[in-house]
Amino acid sequence: MATLRRDGRVTALQRLGCAGLAGALSLSLTAPLELLTVLAQVGTWHCRRGLRSAGLSLCRTEGVRALWKGNLTACLRLCPYSALQLASSRRLVTLFMDELGHISHWRAIMAGSLAGMVATIVTYPTDVIKTRLIVQNRLEPSYEGIFHAFYKIHHQEGLRALYRGVSPAILGAVPFSAGSFFVYISLDKIWQEPIVRFTPLQNFINGCVAAGVAQTLSFPFETVKRKMQAQSPWLPHYGGVDVHFTGMADCFRQTVKNKGVLGLWSGLTPSLLKLTPGVDQSLHPQELRELKLLRRENFEPRKSALEN
């Protein structure tokens, strides 16, 4: 849990606004790496000679601005996703606490994973739109913008197309949680000291290692998700996907058959390089005390007027 105290001079709306601006700046700075990750996962022609060549060829054919395709959608998605994830996480943490107000690392990670699933499902159409905007040719676009992409996908392919790939996105949360849990239960052995004595630098390293391990384990599901999002008979070359498939399981099979097992990890390198911290879901000491008091009020019987 975090040890920083909340600044009373900053309101909740201001904190959310600052977090949104910081997240948007982080996404914008790492947008080229995100674009290369998506192109490698989908398997477009840009990546046939490597990721560096992919970036250069994209700049030559579509201009430098092409490196930020889909970034506006990602930034607009950040606020509702983070708000939903944070609100769900706080609620789930309260539900997973025991009667004394304690929660284990495993339950905390499960609460965070379930909160991520909720936020993912609600905001998933924006993720599909982002992928479509990234894989299209900026000079000959199939979609003229976010709203046009939403309308065109819904009109041509139906509402289900806006949720294509949501199954591997949800299933990928399982190895992601397992990887995070494996790292966190091993921290005291790795550093050879109790977790409560970790310095800010150690906590930063722990977060990077946990995110890297978790992302590596869940990356095949992310790759299949991107392929399913991009593939469409209404797009040139079926969205540029390097394999053709009929569903999630078939996408796994076709990718392994045509690209090998390592094909499921295409784009992992830029994905790890762009590791950015998400919304801080840790509870501050005062918030923990408030949650404990709230939980005790809910479970303890109220005293009658005679007892008072």
Side-chain angles (χ1 to χ4, degrees), residues 1-2 4 6 12 15-16 19 82-97 103 107-108 110-116 118 278-288 290-292 294-295:
M1 295 295 178
L4 297 176
R6 175 180 291 183
R15 284 195 301 272
L16 183 61
S82 300
L84 285 168
Q85 186 181 29
L86 189 59
S88 302
S89 178
R90 298 295 170 88
R91 179 60 180 170
L92 290 166
V93 164
T94 305
L95 293 175
F96 285 174
M97 279 182 177
I103 184 170
R107 287 190 175 187
M110 285 299 298
S113 300
L114 291 174
V118 172
V279 176
D280 183 14
Q281 298 181 31
S282 58
L283 299 179
H284 301 288
Q286 178 61 31
E287 293 174 308
L288 274 176
E290 292 173 357
L291 286 174
K292 290 178 181 180
L294 178 62
R295 189 176 182 87

Side-chain angles (χ1 to χ4, degrees), residues 8 11 16-17 36 57 62 103 115-116 127-128 134 136-137 140 180 191 196-197 223 242 244 257 261 272 290 302 305:
T11 65
L16 183 61
L36 292 176
S57 62
E62 302 181 38
I103 184 170
D127 197 31
V128 174
I134 286 177
Q136 74 172 359
N137 190 325
E140 300 176 358
S180 300
W191 295 105
V196 294
R197 297 181 181 177
T223 298
D242 54 359
H244 296 285
K257 178 181 178 181
V261 176
L272 293 177
E290 292 173 357
R302 296 181 180 273

Side-chain angles (χ1 to χ4, degrees), residues 216-267:
T216 301
L217 293 176
S218 63
F219 202 77
F221 293 93
E222 183 76 10
T223 298
V224 170
K225 181 192 77 172
R226 293 298 180 193
K227 291 181 186 296
M228 295 180 69
Q229 289 176 338
Q231 181 175 265
S232 172
W234 298 91
L235 295 177
H237 310 291
Y238 271 69
V241 184
D242 54 359
V243 294
H244 296 285
F245 49 87
T246 57
M248 181 183 69
D250 189 45
C251 185
F252 273 104
R253 285 194 297 266
Q254 296 301 328
T255 302
V256 174
K257 178 181 178 181
N258 292 276
K259 301 295 180 179
V261 176
L262 293 181
L264 295 171
W265 278 270
S266 296

